[in-house]
Amino acid sequence: MLGRFEGDSLRQPGKTTLRTKEGPAAVNEAIEYLNRAAPVRQLRWNPELGKAARDHVIDIGPKGLVQHESSDGTSVKERLKRYGKIVTCYGENLSFHCETAIEVVLQLLVDDGVPNRGHRENLFNDDFRCCGIYSGQHKDFDTMTCIDYCASFVRAGDEDPIERQMDEFLKEEVAFDDMPMDIRGWK
């Protein structure tokens, strides 16, 4: 990849030359990051997150939008909640003008022009355990990919195992030897 740069422009065989914001410096930074990074766990596919990613691509792609919010202003969180319950944390990456999975990952990893490297941070967020991905057409960039991540996701209508455990725990009666008979709880 580094050998394809002419200044800040990246030559892409068979594609339009891409004018980057940071040039090879961002690629070198990504390489340095990878050399220091600890491995993260493999993500599990979640079909419900895949549906949420599909909805987003089908919504904003034909309109030429480049944003995490839906065209009607719906947030990522609300879009995910249409398909179930987010457990702990969530995130989203969008990629544009990439035709293959490796191009998408490289774009998110290098994260050219993104000062906080938020896309890279999502890729290496060890709290994320599952994801859904969808790629489709984009009016201005030909293709786009949406990746939605969660620590865990409970499909709409399914029982939340953590909620069930908490309900069982809270129903347990615990007796204390020194608890007065007229007191039902402690503050």
Side-chain angles (χ1 to χ4, degrees):
M1 180 182 236
L2 285 170
R4 296 193 332 239
F5 274 98
E6 291 177 3
D8 287 345
S9 295
L10 177 64
R11 287 179 285 115
Q12 304 176 95
K15 295 176 79 173
T16 306
T17 297
L18 180 65
R19 187 177 0 192
T20 67
K21 293 185 178 176
E22 299 175 73
V27 176
N28 283 321
E29 181 194 315
I31 291 168
E32 289 173 20
Y33 177 87
L34 287 174
N35 286 329
R36 295 186 317 268
V40 292
R41 75 185 82 232
Q42 183 176 351
L43 295 169
R44 290 183 324 275
W45 170 255
N46 182 288
E48 305 309 309
L49 293 177
K51 291 174 187 174
R54 177 202 61 207
D55 290 352
H56 196 50
V57 171
I58 290 171
D59 174 38
I60 72 166
K63 296 174 177 97
L65 300 175
V66 179
Q67 62 192 40
H68 291 284
E69 295 77 24
S70 300
S71 64
D72 66 1
T74 301
S75 69
V76 175
K77 184 176 185 177
E78 292 304 312
R79 185 166 23 91
L80 297 178
K81 285 170 55 177
R82 289 179 187 154
Y83 291 99
K85 182 178 178 183
I86 299 164
V87 179
T88 310
C89 61
Y90 68 95
E92 179 174 84
N93 279 346
L94 300 177
S95 171
F96 298 90
H97 200 61
C98 295
E99 295 175 3
T100 66
I102 193 70
E103 286 178 336
V104 170
V105 171
L106 285 172
Q107 184 182 71
L108 298 172
L109 177 63
V110 172
D111 222 1
D112 178 65
V114 181
N116 69 359
R117 303 294 193 232
H119 301 102
R120 182 189 303 162
E121 186 177 306
N122 278 344
L123 285 176
F124 285 88
N125 186 335
D126 205 36
D127 291 333
F128 293 148
R129 303 240 187 337
C130 56
C131 71
I133 305 169
Y134 191 85
S135 295
Q137 294 183 336
H138 190 274
K139 178 182 169 189
D140 298 325
F141 296 107
D142 299 325
T143 59
M144 72 169 286
T145 298
C146 177
I147 307 173
D148 287 321
Y149 308 92
C150 280
S152 184
F153 195 78
V154 179
R155 185 175 61 191
D158 285 359
E159 181 181 45
D160 182 339
I162 295 171
E163 210 169 278
R164 180 177 37 80
Q165 287 176 336
M166 288 304 296
D167 286 345
E168 289 170 8
F169 173 76
L170 293 172
K171 288 178 187 175
E172 285 183 27
E173 287 194 31
V174 180
F176 296 96
D177 294 335
D178 58 347
M179 184 183 287
M181 294 300 290
D182 61 336
I183 304 294
R184 298 196 46 89
W186 294 94
K187 285 191 177 188

